[in-house]
Amino acid sequence: MKRLSALLAAFVLLVLASPCFARPAYPAHLDDTIVVKLPNQATMTLFVKNKQQLRELRAYKLDSLMILLDTYITQAEAAGKNSKSEQVTMEFYPAKDKPGKQVPEQIRITMHNDESKKSTVKENNVEVRMGRVFGVSVQEKSDGSKDRVDIHVGSTAKDDSLAAAKRKAKQEEKQNRAVHNNFNIDLGLNTLVNVETPVGQSAPDLKPVGSRYLSLNWHYDIRLGQKGSPLHLLTGPELAFNNYMLDNNSRFVNLNAATTLQAEMERSLEKSKLAVTTLNLPLMAVLDFQNKKGRDAFRIGAGGFIGYRLGSHTKIKYSEDGRTRKDKDRGSYNLEDFQYGVQGTIGIRSFDLFAKYNLNDLFQNNRGIQAQTLSFGISLLR
């Protein structure tokens, strides 16, 4: 192990003072590799995630670190000589012994006693943890003719395994919670059904693609029953945007305390729509079935919703005197402030379809066209 201390000291001097690193070919998707050849024919291989990890070594007083390592290595050698086992591993925690000082959090030293075997290869391992992420792992091998020291900067295999186990436990804990919250987007189309128009008026002709529906949903998924129960309640605020895009060169106007359709005689409209923004609160019962791996397999749900109109406006787009003009008029347009209806959803894996049907009319009674809104589409970012 004395040779190991000398090699570590040489490594520190080379890293801090020498720019002459030999960089072998190495796959781009793995760590960068630096090979350092010492005068005594020993070779050290350094793996780093990036240059920043190499610079972080400067934060430590490496001469003090070498003295600290030599002290622990001496203790490990003594323990190895007095042990009858083939392998001796000792762990030291300098940060606890010297609080407030810039020292490693953990040093792990492993020594192999192969004297009972005829093997000519001996191995010694030293791992130094500088923090939760940054660390140095040193492995010394000797076969009697060649020495090799491998130094890895980054998380060790043990730490990677521990981190993976923590992530898995956190994921399982999240899956086992009775209440989950998530954000998703409903994107679809609007249409009017059960249309009844006043005498002398025509029914609105909506452009299918232009009459879009968009909803931003902050949902709470509440499991009913024990772990593994497929029955859930779904609720949470939704900010919905309903667009009703008119065709046939017509627009919505307020006339005689009512909202009616008016055909444009003097202008050719490129766009004419009524836009309504509402805040909705759904309540749905959902059956969510999962596969053997605990992932969503099939869902189906149904329930109702209530909503309140936050704002509304009409917008027309047309050309005049060679220029494109846009007119936007805000107002209630005799729309119902409160909306209520039923809705449903069905999904396979991460693909969901939804449909919403307003039970009350879009406009107030005898103050506009009598019709209900039907919205349908897909859910994104589930």
Side-chain angles (χ1 to χ4, degrees):
M1 295 297 289
K2 294 180 180 180
R3 178 175 61 256
L4 180 58
S5 299
L7 289 176
L8 279 172
F11 161 72
V12 172
L13 292 175
L14 284 170
V15 168
L16 298 181
S18 174
C20 301
F21 296 136
R23 295 179 61 87
Y26 201 75
H29 65 281
L30 297 178
D31 301 343
D32 290 335
T33 307
I34 300 174
V35 176
V36 181
K37 294 184 178 180
L38 300 178
N40 62 355
Q41 303 302 316
T43 301
M44 294 188 296
T45 305
L46 174 67
F47 301 96
V48 293
K49 297 289 184 184
N50 48 49
K51 292 181 180 179
Q52 182 61 31
Q53 285 192 335
L54 195 59
R55 296 191 184 100
E56 289 177 2
L57 276 172
R58 298 177 183 270
Y60 297 87
K61 295 181 179 180
L62 297 179
D63 52 345
S64 301
L65 176 60
M66 293 302 104
I67 296 174
L68 188 64
L69 282 177
D70 186 64
T71 301
Y72 291 145
I73 289 171
T74 301
Q75 297 181 35
E77 284 181 328
K81 291 179 180 179
N82 297 328
S83 176
K84 296 181 180 180
S85 61
E86 296 182 358
Q87 176 178 306
V88 175
T89 300
M90 299 185 67
E91 293 186 356
F92 306 91
Y93 300 89
K96 293 183 179 179
D97 299 334
K98 301 179 179 180
K101 294 187 177 181
Q102 194 73 10
V103 294
E105 289 186 357
Q106 182 190 72
I107 295 178
R108 185 186 300 111
I109 300 176
T110 301
M111 297 186 63
H112 296 267
N113 294 328
D114 296 333
E115 296 179 357
S116 61
K117 299 181 181 180
K118 296 182 179 180
S119 172
T120 60
V121 179
K122 295 182 179 181
E123 297 184 8
N124 294 310
N125 298 300
V126 178
E127 293 181 1
V128 183
R129 301 302 303 153
M130 305 282 190
R132 294 183 179 180
V133 177
F134 181 79
V136 179
S137 176
V138 182
Q139 184 180 54
E140 179 192 30
K141 291 185 179 181
S142 176
D143 60 1
S145 60
K146 295 182 179 180
D147 297 327
R148 188 176 85 244
V149 178
D150 294 332
I151 302 177
H152 180 81
V153 179
S155 56
T156 64
K158 181 176 181 179
D159 293 320
D160 289 340
S161 177
L162 181 60
K166 289 182 178 179
R167 287 195 299 269
K168 183 177 180 181
K170 186 176 181 180
Q171 184 178 8
E172 290 179 351
E173 186 272 335
K174 183 178 179 180
Q175 292 176 346
N176 294 335
R177 289 204 303 260
V179 180
H180 292 79
N181 59 75
N182 58 70
F183 171 79
N184 71 307
I185 298 175
D186 289 345
L187 183 61
L189 301 174
N190 288 314
T191 187
L192 296 177
V193 296
N194 303 325
V195 180
E196 296 180 6
T197 59
V199 178
Q201 290 191 26
S202 59
D205 188 7
L206 299 183
K207 291 183 178 180
V209 178
S211 300
R212 293 181 294 270
Y213 174 84
L214 173 66
S215 179
L216 308 178
N217 312 319
W218 291 265
H219 283 160
Y220 291 90
D221 188 332
I222 306 170
R223 186 185 71 234
L224 300 181
Q226 300 297 322
K227 174 184 174 182
S229 171
L231 182 59
H232 297 250
L233 280 182
L234 188 70
T235 188
E238 299 178 348
L239 185 62
F241 304 89
N242 292 79
N243 286 279
Y244 305 92
M245 189 75 67
L246 292 173
D247 204 352
N248 297 332
N249 206 48
S250 58
R251 60 180 299 191
F252 285 106
V253 296
N254 284 325
L255 185 63
N256 298 326
T259 300
T260 63
L261 285 177
Q262 184 180 77
E264 283 289 334
M265 306 302 294
E266 299 179 356
R267 294 178 294 192
S268 178
L269 300 181
E270 299 177 25
K271 180 185 295 185
S272 176
K273 73 174 184 178
L274 170 66
V276 184
T277 303
T278 58
L279 181 64
N280 298 327
L281 181 67
L283 181 62
M284 287 202 304
V286 179
L287 288 175
D288 190 347
F289 299 99
Q290 299 180 339
N291 58 22
K292 295 181 179 179
K293 295 182 179 180
R295 298 177 181 176
D296 292 337
F298 176 74
R299 293 170 302 283
I300 186 169
F305 70 92
I306 57 174
Y308 179 76
R309 183 181 61 84
L310 299 178
S312 54
H313 67 269
T314 60
K315 182 178 180 180
I316 60 174
K317 179 180 178 181
Y318 58 93
S319 296
E320 187 176 72
D321 299 329
R323 299 178 58 186
T324 299
R325 298 184 180 275
K326 299 178 182 179
D327 294 343
K328 180 186 291 188
D329 294 321
R330 299 185 181 277
S332 67
Y333 285 91
N334 299 298
L335 293 161
E336 287 283 4
D337 288 334
F338 289 94
Q339 297 286 327
Y340 59 90
V342 294
Q343 63 182 29
T345 182
I346 186 170
I348 299 176
R349 295 182 181 177
S350 60
F351 180 77
D352 285 24
L353 297 174
F354 75 90
K356 301 180 69 173
Y357 175 63
N358 288 39
L359 294 176
N360 64 329
D361 291 328
L362 179 63
F363 295 95
Q364 298 175 24
N365 190 30
N366 297 323
R367 303 287 295 275
I369 300 167
Q370 302 302 291
Q372 288 88 43
T373 299
L374 174 64
S375 306
F376 54 92
I378 62 174
S379 295
L380 307 174
L381 304 178
R382 186 178 186 279

